[in-house]
Amino acid sequence: MSVALINPDPPLPPEAMVRRTVALVERQIGQLERMVGDFLDMARIEAGQLAVTFQAWDARELVRETMELFEASSTQRELSVLRGGADRRDRSRRGNQ
């Protein structure tokens, strides 16, 4: 005889596991939302409904911001984010060059 027939309500998983699962689902939903937004933006650009503008940007600042984004999630995923090669010269460039 199956245990499921005797006890149809299996025990709930530990709260920590539920919290980790919910956090994972929330991250995945966020990634999917960003991806859908990107696809919609591409469709608007192709349809001529969204203008693409170019502006000056500092590549170092872009890298810093990107590093900060990944540093937050790297500890959860047991990854190391390494910084190197500090070039002190101003390397502002025009976008899309």
Side-chain angles (χ1 to χ4, degrees), residues 30-94:
Q31 289 175 345
L32 289 172
E33 285 176 339
R34 287 188 297 277
M35 202 178 341
V36 168
D38 290 345
F39 288 142
L40 291 172
D41 286 345
M42 287 189 308
R44 288 183 192 111
I45 290 169
E46 289 177 357
Q49 297 173 347
L50 184 64
V52 177
T53 58
F54 296 98
Q55 61 185 7
W57 51 271
D58 183 353
R60 292 173 300 156
E61 184 61 28
L62 176 64
V63 170
R64 255 188 248 111
E65 291 174 4
T66 304
M67 295 287 290
E68 288 173 6
L69 287 172
F70 281 99
E71 282 174 340
S73 64
S74 67
T75 54
Q76 297 169 351
R77 296 182 180 157
E78 299 178 12
L79 299 173
S80 297
V81 178
L82 304 175
R83 294 181 183 157
D87 186 358
R88 302 284 183 223
R89 291 178 283 165
D90 183 16
R91 299 246 177 193
S92 296
R93 301 203 52 152
R94 189 170 151 74

